[in-house]
Amino acid sequence: MNEQADSRDIVLTLLHIIGMLLILLCHFFQAEKIYYISEIVISGVPLFLFTSGFLSGKKEIKNIGKWYLKKAKRVLIPY
């Protein structure tokens, strides 16, 4: 059972990396003004977002107040 969960995590991580690479390719092709290819590889954005949300949703939150404070610092300080 544990081996199956580990292999699932590897697949999700690989999908996450593939989504990231597709986003980078999209930026590259847009910079080179090859828009028809960038429209195809932009499909990496939803893939990246969904896998990011799923992977972060699997993490256990022990102290919700600390978690919100950490997220607020991460977002509001650069803002």
Side-chain angles (χ1 to χ4, degrees):
M1 180 73 176
N2 196 13
E3 289 179 23
Q4 185 180 9
D6 289 343
S7 67
R8 237 183 277 152
D9 288 344
I10 291 170
V11 171
L12 285 172
T13 303
L14 287 175
L15 284 173
H16 198 221
I17 291 169
I18 289 169
M20 180 181 60
L21 292 175
L22 287 173
I23 292 169
L24 289 173
L25 283 173
C26 179
H27 288 298
F28 171 76
F29 287 125
Q30 284 179 347
E32 295 297 319
K33 296 185 180 9
I34 307 174
Y35 298 116
Y36 60 93
I37 296 178
S38 72
E39 287 296 320
I40 295 169
V41 295
I42 202 165
S43 62
V45 173
L47 177 64
F48 183 80
L49 286 174
F50 291 142
T51 54
S52 295
F54 186 80
L55 289 172
S56 67
K58 289 176 66 175
K59 294 181 181 176
E60 184 180 340
I61 300 172
K62 295 178 181 171
N63 185 343
I64 193 76
K66 269 187 169 178
W67 184 82
Y68 273 119
L69 185 62
K70 184 174 135 185
K71 295 295 179 184
K73 285 180 185 177
R74 180 191 267 170
V75 172
L76 295 176
I77 289 175
Y79 176 71

